[in-house]
Amino acid sequence: MSDAVKVLIIDDETQIRRFLRIALEAQGFSLSEAANGRDGLVQAAMHRPDVVILDLGLPDGNGLDILRRLREWSNVPVIVLSVRNAEQDKIALLDAGADDYLTKPFSAGELIARIRTALRHTAPAEPDGLFRNGPLEVNLAARKVTVGGKSVKLTVTEYDLLRLFVQNAGKVLTHRQILKTVWGESSGDEMQYLRVYISQLRRKIESDPANPQLLVTETGVGYRMQVTEKQQG
Amino acid sequence: MTRDRIRRKNKGTDRSDPDVLLDAIRSDEDGRSRGRLKIFFGMCAGVGKTYAMLQEARMLLAEGKDVAAGIVETHGRPETGALLEGLERLPLKAVSYRGRTFSEFDLDGALRRRPAVVLVDELAHANVPGSRHIKRYQDVEELLDHGIDVYTTLNVQHLESRSLTVEEITGVPVHETVPDSVLDRAADIELVDIAPSELLKRFSDGKIYAPESAAAALRNFFRRGNVTALREMALRATAQQVNRHLTRYKAGRKIGETWKSGERLLVAVGPSPFSTQLIAWTRRMAATMNAEWMALNVETQVRLTVQQAAQLTANLHLARELGAEVAVVRAEDTVEGIVQTALANNITQIVVGKTEEGRLRTWLKGGSLVERLVRYSGNIDIYVVRGDVIPQTTRPPRRLPRLTSGRQFGVALGAIAAVVASLFAAGSLLNYLSVAMFLLFAVTLLSLWLTMGPVLFAAALSALAWNFFFIPPRYTFHIARFEDVLVFSLYFIIAIVTGTLTSRIRINKEAVRQREARAAALYAMSRALTSADSTDAIAAIAVREIDRIFDADAAVFLNAAGLPVLHHASGFSPGAKEESVVRWVAENRKPAGRFTDTLPLSDARWMPLATGRDIYGVAGVRFRRTTVFTLDKETLLENLAGQIASALERERFNGERRRADTADASERLFKTLLNSISHEFRTPLAVISGITASLTDPGLRLGGAARDALMSEVNDAANRLNGLVENLLNMSRLESGNVRPAVEWCDVSDLFQSLKRRLQREAAGRPVAFEMAPGIPIVRIDSALTEVAVGNLVQNALRYTPPETPVRVRAAVSGSDLVITVRDEGPGLPADILPHLFKKFYRAPGSAAGGTGLGLSISRGLVEAMGGRLTAANASRGGALFTVRLPAERRSVGPEESNE
């Protein structure tokens, strides 16, 4: 068993698979491929990949079914490839346990960044409980937040919200996932609260709230804590 | 005469030219799709029908036909039993009823097994309650409908039209009957006949029934006289069928002149059980004369009791069953109704029953019903058929419940007593002649509420009370003065006449009101259905209207992929048992359930929603209270079902047309697409393949800066292709009406953020400003669609304005709308292109290369799909101004939670 990160690509397009193989192998990933969902599940069981890249438009059934079957026995990070205008599908997949998504066309750089993020999720939390991202610094142990060295006061809910993004840094979170974690099951459709809190949070942590760099919107899907290059970990 | 008729045609026994032809065609077609029915017909039990049937079955078996015995009664006769050896016998179905178990023919089993020929003995058998059909002949009909041939046996006494005659001859009641139309529809009838003496010998030998069961009644039945009479009837019935077949054959082959009697019979049907005899008689008559016949009920003011209404419905059903055209007309007088209908329908002969009529009534009307009929009917023949006393065993006389009437008599008594008492109390204030006026007034008032009997009672009572209490000498029934005797007589007559008249007017009005209500109900429903624009709406209207008209729960099943599926608008959800009835109705396109002969133990009455073309579903009516299902109601229900079915059919055609229109439109789009934008695809493709070829060409030795520049061109070309595909996809979504806005709370600054990212490439180096009016709230819109719509507007502005000029996107709120404007500082929009700006594939004349003319039309399509408006104008300070107006709920942004 080599140390290389194992990636499984499930996509029916040979050209996409070839493109990803060239790009990812150049980065030192070890690749396996499947051209349909059934084969993909077999490969996933056989090779135990570290990351799965799943195309939404497979010939044998929709990606959601394949994801659900995979999730029955595996927690491997799954990145979904989809097309624009398929927001509802994306949400369904993310809510069903996909870790992230990429809209076609995408660059190899974007994909590799997403793979790294997905892999980081599975790594254990940092021992010092300190999170740094650009000007933002969050001390999870002490519940202290500073921006550019200046301490910021957050309400309880704002802090819970920020902590959720910090714990999932770099990863997209759907509206429902956020609502469920911060407000609990009952507030399933209370989307407007979320908008209000996000807007308040941005005013406190973004240097230019109208042009956010940390908490970015994924239209129709949710929000993402964008991880800047300097971030360590 | 109020004429309002309900009539229907029955295909059974029409004998006019086109009908015979149609019949012939139908049975020709039946020969292919429907199974053939062969009846082994005999005069009575024991002639050997089952034996003959089994013999023939064995012959078929020997020919290699797939024959199975569905049910065969051997009555323990060994010769018959022997014939059954070697024949496949379908398993019988055990049906339990009231704690006993009966073996019945298993219809479903036979349908599953699908042999070519099924033997079903004793056609007239009545099934155990709880079976699908009341009678076995209906099981047979269903087998035939499914294309299975059936061999069966039948005795003449079981024919509906003959049963009463047989009853008269033999004195043995006949309970199990089949309609004559079954015989008419049989492809073959084989008469099984033996000499009476032979039959009687077989009977006394115990060959027909086992000796112990040859009871006295049977012994009465098997008498030489009886048997001979029965034999004659069987022979006649067979001869008639042979004649019919010959006529049909001639019609089909055009041999000679097809003959038609030209006679038309009309039988007057009332609410009396005796009418069934009349109907049977007329049917026989019509059959012998080869004539058409109709059954007529004249509704007069006389109010029927529930039992009478039920009997009338049964009578009219019987007539229809036997092949009559059934009509109901309304008239003041029975004779008038009969004569008018007869004249209107070219009736040549009228059949009426001989009835007992009161002498006074006869005298008042100017003769008995028959006398007047003879007088007014001109050259129409009148048959008067003797009315029999109906034997108790077959039809027990029904006592009318007097409950409501009793109450009415009580009211009459009470009211008159009260009026008399108050007049009495008034004492000397009133002259006894004025008292008469008050009493008369009271009687007239009562007649507005009560039926005829109680009104007459009130009239008589008041007259007597007047006499007793007021006419001198008072407190006697004696009248002193001759003048008073006259006045009293006059009072009596006037009271009765006014009471009767008022009461009659009221009943009349009531009837008219009911009819108007019915007509209005139909009209209201048809109007509602006309405006219905979806099957859901039709189903909802159907449920609502049936509920309203019949005061009953209604359920609607619509056919989806050939199976009836309960519609969610239904007023009740039927259980599994009812659903099997629904499936049967859908499959057989016949009504079933309560008040029918098929699965009558169901809770609801189920009607097929079928037109001549197809079946669209099934509607069910579950009455909340027990009611009599009169012919009127049934006709109304049939009409409603017909209207619903037509509406569903119309909707299906509309749907097909819409689909065809969409297909047309997308074909047009496709053609335009090919013409106008194929080069749009070619340009970036040419760039990509040209550059990649050059890069791999070792001869060119491209490297370094040139290589990077070319790669960036490839990237741009690929992005252009991607944008093009996205535009086309959006366009096709809009075209097919597949854009369903998913409205969610959304922060406008979020929207602008994603827009900025989306436009990053196109806006490279261009100043694009995003502004938000202060205090802009959180709005409920579909952010993804809005982003595409506004993004296209910005792209459009970038493309058609000079490179250094800015584009401004601004969001504001106006009323409950979110308003997003896109303003540029370019040359503005020429007036002549404004009307075409949002058309598909429209590009302003002289536009630079690149662009499909789809962007703006997509924007408008998306905005409209979200219920908003997109307009274009020239800004006052120059440049084009596009305004998107979206309806949006708002919510102001503000700190909702105080800081720690």
Side-chain angles (χ1 to χ4, degrees):
Chain A
M1 203 170 134
S2 71
D3 287 347
V5 174
K6 287 180 288 178
V7 180
L8 169 62
I9 302 169
I10 309 176
D11 195 321
D12 57 324
E13 291 290 343
T14 326
Q15 226 178 345
I16 297 272
R17 291 205 306 272
R18 222 152 43 205
F19 154 56
L20 292 179
R21 178 176 282 276
I22 293 167
L24 294 179
E25 277 182 349
Q27 292 292 313
F29 293 107
S30 138
L31 267 280
S32 51
E33 296 173 18
N36 56 52
R38 196 164 27 88
D39 196 20
L41 289 171
V42 173
Q43 298 261 359
M46 247 164 59
H47 296 292
R48 298 271 161 184
D50 300 307
V51 178
V52 173
I53 296 169
L54 173 65
D55 183 44
L56 253 180
L58 288 173
D60 58 340
N62 67 33
L64 192 57
D65 290 339
I66 291 154
L67 178 69
R68 286 210 179 112
R69 290 183 54 194
L70 184 66
R71 277 284 173 263
E72 282 168 14
W73 52 270
S74 167
N75 280 319
V76 61
V78 174
I79 297 170
V80 172
L81 301 183
S82 75
V83 291
R84 217 176 243 179
N85 296 330
E87 276 74 25
Q88 297 308 314
D89 295 347
K90 289 174 195 164
I91 293 172
L93 276 153
L94 291 169
D95 285 343
D99 291 74
D100 217 326
Y101 72 90
L102 261 182
T103 304
K104 287 179 183 176
F106 54 87
S107 73
E110 282 176 280
L111 177 62
I112 289 162
R114 292 287 155 84
I115 291 175
R116 296 244 155 88
T117 306
L119 286 172
R120 196 167 42 234
H121 285 310
T122 52
E126 287 188 45
D128 62 347
L130 208 60
F131 172 85
R132 291 186 198 87
N133 187 13
L136 178 71
E137 201 175 285
V138 182
N139 186 334
L140 292 171
R143 294 174 71 93
K144 280 216 181 312
V145 180
T146 59
V147 176
K150 285 205 305 200
S151 170
V152 174
K153 283 199 166 170
L154 297 181
T155 66
V156 176
T157 315
E158 282 163 5
Y159 179 77
D160 286 347
L161 195 57
L162 180 62
R163 191 179 53 195
L164 179 67
F165 280 112
V166 166
Q167 281 162 347
N168 294 283
K171 189 189 158 188
V172 65
L173 293 171
T174 67
H175 298 133
R176 186 171 313 155
Q177 284 169 339
I178 301 169
L179 287 169
K180 205 168 135 184
T181 321
V182 180
W183 280 277
E185 282 301 346
S186 61
S187 39
D189 284 320
E190 305 285 273
M191 204 72 80
Q192 68 265 44
Y193 292 127
L194 178 58
R195 303 290 184 189
V196 172
Y197 280 105
I198 290 281
S199 136
Q200 281 172 196
L201 191 56
R202 275 178 180 161
R203 254 181 269 164
K204 292 181 181 177
I205 65 166
E206 296 278 2
S207 43
D208 176 9
N211 199 9
Q213 299 300 315
L214 296 168
L215 276 184
V216 298
T217 305
E218 297 280 340
T219 308
V221 177
Y223 296 95
R224 184 195 300 276
M225 166 71 79
Q226 190 107 308
V227 179
T228 59
E229 298 309 314
K230 285 168 279 175
Q231 208 258 316
Q232 62 228 46
Chain B
M1 184 172 87
T2 330
R3 297 210 48 179
D4 173 4
R5 48 168 52 221
I6 307 150
R7 46 157 64 198
R8 46 198 99 185
K9 277 265 182 191
N10 185 298
K11 61 182 178 191
T13 53
D14 295 321
R15 250 150 292 220
S16 58
D17 269 325
D19 288 332
V20 172
L21 261 169
L22 251 173
D23 258 8
I25 293 164
R26 201 176 283 133
S27 2
D28 249 23
E29 280 175 352
D30 285 358
R32 280 190 295 275
S33 60
R34 237 177 93 96
R36 289 171 66 87
L37 175 64
K38 178 160 185 169
I39 298 178
F40 293 82
F41 191 61
M43 56 178 142
C44 62
V47 293
K49 297 178 303 295
T50 307
Y51 190 84
M53 177 173 79
L54 287 172
Q55 269 185 326
E56 183 141 348
R58 293 190 76 90
M59 264 161 63
L60 289 177
L61 201 64
E63 287 168 15
K65 278 245 178 165
D66 183 13
V67 186
I71 186 162
V72 174
E73 310 273 0
T74 59
H75 295 289
R77 297 167 205 159
E79 310 94 314
T80 319
L83 279 177
L84 213 47
E85 294 293 320
L87 261 176
E88 178 190 346
R89 302 179 71 169
L90 300 180
L92 297 178
K93 191 167 73 175
V95 182
S96 52
Y97 178 66
R98 294 199 177 150
R100 283 183 59 195
T101 307
F102 298 83
S103 290
E104 286 284 5
F105 169 58
D106 184 7
L107 176 58
D108 288 313
L111 288 172
R112 269 196 303 278
R113 160 75 178 76
R114 281 197 81 86
V117 183
V118 180
L119 311 183
V120 183
D121 211 358
E122 301 205 350
L123 188 60
H125 172 80
N127 288 333
V128 174
S131 310
R132 181 184 303 166
H133 298 295
I134 292 183
K135 301 284 185 73
R136 183 174 287 165
Y137 77 83
Q138 294 169 309
D139 292 347
V140 168
E141 286 280 307
E142 201 170 330
L143 287 172
L144 295 171
D145 282 342
H146 283 81
I148 300 170
D149 293 355
V150 179
Y151 281 20
T152 188
T153 63
L154 181 68
N155 289 331
V156 68
Q157 82 245 32
H158 294 134
L159 267 185
E160 190 113 58
S161 62
R162 307 297 201 274
S163 61
L164 283 168
T165 318
V166 173
E167 207 170 312
E168 280 168 16
I169 294 171
T170 62
V172 180
V174 179
H175 295 294
E176 302 184 333
T177 58
V178 298
D180 296 43
S181 54
V182 172
L183 200 62
D184 295 346
R185 284 202 288 278
D188 292 303
I189 293 166
E190 184 163 326
L191 180 69
V192 183
D193 187 39
I194 57 172
S197 52
E198 173 72 11
L199 180 72
L200 292 176
K201 186 171 175 298
R202 284 174 70 175
F203 176 71
S204 54
D205 288 353
K207 280 185 180 170
I208 297 175
Y209 294 106
E212 63 268 23
S213 69
L218 287 169
R219 242 175 241 117
N220 278 338
F221 190 91
F222 285 94
R223 277 195 313 225
R224 180 173 284 273
N226 286 354
V227 171
T228 313
L230 286 173
R231 190 182 188 202
E232 187 193 335
M233 284 171 69
L235 289 169
R236 267 175 189 267
T238 316
Q240 254 177 37
Q241 289 306 318
V242 170
N243 188 30
R244 255 183 81 74
H245 283 216
L246 186 65
T247 319
R248 197 184 296 170
Y249 173 81
K250 277 184 180 170
R253 297 293 151 98
K254 290 210 171 74
I255 296 171
E257 285 270 281
T258 47
W259 174 78
K260 187 186 143 215
S261 73
E263 299 285 337
R264 284 174 70 90
L265 275 70
L266 180 147
V267 56
V269 177
S272 142
F274 162 59
S275 287
T276 55
Q277 285 174 316
L278 265 188
I279 291 164
W281 191 90
T282 314
R283 201 268 173 194
R284 271 202 306 280
M285 191 63 181
T288 7
M289 286 165 58
N290 202 10
E292 291 178 19
W293 64 295
M294 74 187 286
L296 172 74
N297 171 249
V298 181
E299 273 184 17
T300 56
Q301 273 104 30
V302 180
R303 220 176 236 204
L304 300 182
T305 63
V306 175
Q307 278 77 9
Q308 282 175 321
Q311 181 64 50
L312 176 63
T313 307
N315 291 346
L316 293 175
H317 265 301
L318 174 70
R320 182 142 44 110
E321 198 94 300
L322 290 177
E325 180 186 323
V326 174
V328 177
V329 303
R330 181 159 184 80
E332 275 287 306
D333 179 65
T334 316
V335 172
E336 190 189 336
I338 293 175
V339 173
Q340 295 262 14
T341 312
L343 291 175
N345 288 279
N346 301 319
I347 295 295
T348 56
Q349 299 171 20
I350 296 174
V351 182
V352 289
K354 190 190 276 180
T355 48
E356 288 290 313
E357 282 172 286
R359 218 170 272 165
L360 175 73
R361 201 181 144 84
T362 309
W363 178 79
L364 274 173
K365 291 225 173 188
S368 71
L369 186 135
V370 175
E371 282 166 7
R372 286 182 304 131
L373 204 52
V374 170
R375 199 180 313 146
Y376 296 120
S377 57
N379 54 2
I380 301 175
D381 296 346
I382 309 287
Y383 290 92
V384 182
V385 179
R386 162 183 55 96
D388 272 5
V389 178
I390 308 303
Q392 294 251 342
T393 45
T394 47
R395 297 180 202 284
R398 297 175 165 108
R399 283 273 146 246
L400 316 179
R402 281 285 172 196
L403 194 69
T404 46
S405 294
R407 203 177 294 148
Q408 290 204 350
F409 277 108
V411 171
L413 179 68
I416 294 298
V419 173
V420 168
S422 47
L423 289 171
F424 191 74
S428 54
L429 284 176
L430 290 168
N431 179 302
Y432 72 92
L433 288 172
S434 329
V435 166
M437 296 306 287
F438 278 98
L439 285 172
L440 211 50
F441 178 63
V443 171
T444 316
L445 273 187
L446 280 175
S447 62
L448 285 175
W449 310 108
L450 306 181
T451 51
M452 200 79 85
V455 169
L456 293 179
F457 170 70
L461 190 69
S462 67
L464 292 177
W466 183 45
N467 180 359
F468 188 78
F469 290 108
F470 299 101
I471 300 178
R474 295 174 79 172
Y475 315 118
T476 65
F477 286 112
H478 177 70
I479 302 174
R481 297 199 308 162
F482 175 68
E483 198 187 331
D484 286 345
V485 173
L486 274 184
V487 173
F488 174 74
S489 313
L490 275 177
Y491 172 87
F492 200 80
I493 292 165
I494 292 170
I496 286 175
V497 168
T498 22
T500 320
L501 279 180
T502 324
S503 170
R504 183 180 286 184
I505 289 166
R506 189 176 51 78
I507 291 171
N508 226 337
K509 260 174 97 175
E510 177 76 4
V512 169
R513 194 191 55 73
Q514 273 180 14
R515 276 170 193 282
E516 274 174 357
R518 233 174 284 148
L522 267 174
Y523 177 66
M525 170 137 154
S526 76
R527 260 197 21 195
L529 284 175
T530 325
S531 62
D533 55 358
S534 68
T535 45
D536 284 347
I538 294 170
I541 290 168
V543 170
R544 194 186 67 212
E545 294 294 311
I546 291 175
D547 185 318
R548 196 170 60 83
I549 296 167
F550 291 99
D551 185 30
D553 295 323
V556 171
F557 284 73
L558 295 179
N559 274 18
L563 278 176
V565 178
L566 181 67
H567 191 272
H568 55 78
S570 302
F572 69 100
S573 54
K577 198 184 105 201
E578 294 288 303
E579 282 197 11
S580 66
V581 185
V582 172
R583 274 196 301 280
W584 188 88
V585 171
E587 213 170 285
N588 295 274
R589 300 190 188 181
K590 286 176 192 158
R594 261 190 98 185
F595 308 116
T596 68
D597 293 346
T598 304
L599 300 158
L601 298 184
S602 320
D603 295 337
R605 158 97 179 199
W606 297 98
M607 299 288 298
L609 299 175
T611 63
R613 213 171 269 116
D614 204 353
I615 179 159
Y616 297 91
V618 178
V621 185
R622 194 178 66 184
F623 294 97
R624 295 197 187 106
R625 286 171 286 128
T626 47
T627 80
V628 180
F629 201 63
T630 58
L631 193 72
D632 265 12
K633 281 187 187 161
E634 191 184 327
T635 312
L636 187 62
L637 185 59
E638 271 177 19
N639 285 340
L640 291 179
Q643 284 202 10
I644 297 165
S646 310
L648 288 170
E649 182 165 89
R650 191 196 63 214
E651 196 44 40
R652 174 191 283 184
F653 288 152
N654 280 348
E656 277 166 11
R657 210 190 54 223
R658 273 199 293 273
R659 272 192 293 283
D661 285 353
T662 315
D664 267 10
S666 50
E667 197 181 337
R668 273 202 306 280
L669 177 70
F670 184 67
K671 273 185 190 151
T672 327
L673 207 87
L674 282 183
N675 294 339
S676 79
I677 63 161
S678 52
H679 80 276
E680 278 302 307
F681 275 101
R682 281 215 195 95
T683 319
L685 282 174
V687 171
I688 292 171
S689 64
I691 291 176
T692 47
S694 338
L695 286 175
T696 49
D697 188 336
L700 289 175
R701 280 191 216 130
L702 290 166
R707 204 183 171 84
D708 287 351
L710 286 178
M711 281 317 289
S712 136
E713 283 303 317
V714 169
N715 196 21
D716 281 355
N719 282 324
R720 193 167 145 195
L721 274 179
N722 190 44
L724 199 56
V725 169
E726 213 164 278
N727 265 350
L728 291 176
L729 283 177
N730 280 328
M731 186 40 91
S732 89
R733 276 169 77 200
L734 281 170
E735 285 288 312
S736 57
N738 262 343
V739 178
R740 298 226 166 74
V743 182
E744 267 181 6
W745 290 103
C746 159
D747 190 334
V748 178
S749 67
D750 276 358
L751 177 71
F752 280 3
Q753 280 314 306
S754 348
L755 255 176
K756 266 186 221 170
R757 261 183 292 157
R758 169 186 284 258
L759 294 166
Q760 237 162 21
R761 218 180 336 257
E762 285 91 340
R766 290 285 299 269
V768 180
F770 288 91
E771 298 159 25
M772 278 174 53
I776 207 147
I778 286 192
V779 288
R780 250 166 84 82
I781 54 171
D782 183 321
S783 53
L785 293 184
T786 312
E787 189 185 314
V788 176
V790 178
N792 279 355
L793 293 177
V794 177
Q795 277 177 6
N796 188 66
L798 289 170
R799 187 172 291 148
Y800 295 105
T801 53
E804 64 285 354
T805 58
V807 174
R808 287 177 216 285
V809 185
R810 187 182 153 83
V813 195
S814 155
S816 63
D817 292 350
L818 172 69
V819 180
I820 300 175
T821 52
V822 177
R823 188 158 61 86
D824 62 43
E825 294 181 6
L829 302 161
D832 57 324
I833 73 160
L834 268 175
H836 309 289
L837 204 57
F838 294 108
K839 283 188 183 158
K840 267 184 295 231
F841 301 112
Y842 176 79
R843 301 202 61 212
S847 302
T852 52
L854 282 177
L856 290 184
S857 97
I858 289 171
S859 285
R860 172 169 272 192
L862 292 177
V863 169
E864 282 172 0
M866 290 184 282
R869 278 193 305 133
L870 169 58
T871 51
N874 284 309
S876 51
R877 281 173 291 172
L881 173 69
F882 288 87
T883 309
V884 175
R885 212 167 244 281
L886 290 173
E889 281 178 63
R890 289 183 291 157
R891 201 189 162 83
S892 63
V893 184
E896 306 227 327
E897 204 176 337
S898 63
N899 284 10
E900 283 171 3

